[in-house]
Amino acid sequence: SIYLDDGESMNSKLKRVEFSFAKMVLSAQTIQDTGFETANVIERIVVVGLGSMEQLSAMSAVSVTGNQETDLGLVVSGANRDVLIVRKPEVPIAGGWKIKFN
C-alpha cells in the first residue's frame, strides 16, 4: 500500500492505494479516499523474479486505465538479466489501473 497526501496541510485529506500482482497482472486500486486529488504518475516499475532472460525478452505489457489500453516499453536488466523494467508507464499513482504482462 501507499498513502498519498499533500504533505503540507493537517486536514487529513489522503488517499490509500493498494497494489497487487496475480496471474501476471499488476494492479492498483484506491481503497481509502478522503478527497485528496493528485495528477502524479508512476515513472518506472521494476519487477524481479518473473523468469529467465529468454522469457523476459519475449514478454510484452499493456496498461489498462478505464477503457484505454497502451502498449508499454520493457527493458531487461540486472546482473543475471532477470529484472524487468517497465519504463514510463504513465499510470496514475492514485490507482485505477492494471498492467498485463504477456
Side-chain angles (χ1 to χ4, degrees):
S1 293
I2 187 170
Y3 291 86
L4 306 168
D5 66 26
D6 64 8
E8 295 175 9
S9 67
M10 299 297 286
N11 63 4
S12 298
K13 284 192 175 181
L14 62 90
K15 192 172 293 245
R16 181 174 164 214
V17 180
E18 185 170 274
F19 299 90
S20 64
F21 188 83
K23 297 182 181 178
M24 300 300 287
V25 176
L26 175 64
S27 60
Q29 280 296 111
T30 301
I31 57 174
Q32 182 181 5
D33 188 353
T34 61
F36 175 70
E37 297 297 324
T38 181
N40 294 356
V41 295
I42 294 176
E43 178 183 302
R44 178 181 308 143
I45 297 170
V46 178
V47 184
V48 178
L50 284 184
S52 68
M53 180 181 148
E54 292 79 24
Q55 292 168 316
L56 296 180
S57 296
M59 202 168 277
S60 63
V62 62
S63 69
V64 181
T65 306
N67 292 329
Q68 183 178 355
E69 289 193 7
T70 305
D71 290 327
L72 299 174
L74 303 176
V75 175
V76 178
S77 186
N80 296 325
R81 309 290 292 163
D82 59 351
V83 176
L84 186 67
I85 300 172
V86 182
R87 298 185 63 207
K88 299 189 184 277
E90 302 290 325
V91 291
I93 197 164
W97 54 264
K98 294 179 182 182
I99 295 179
K100 299 177 184 177
F101 295 92
N102 303 313

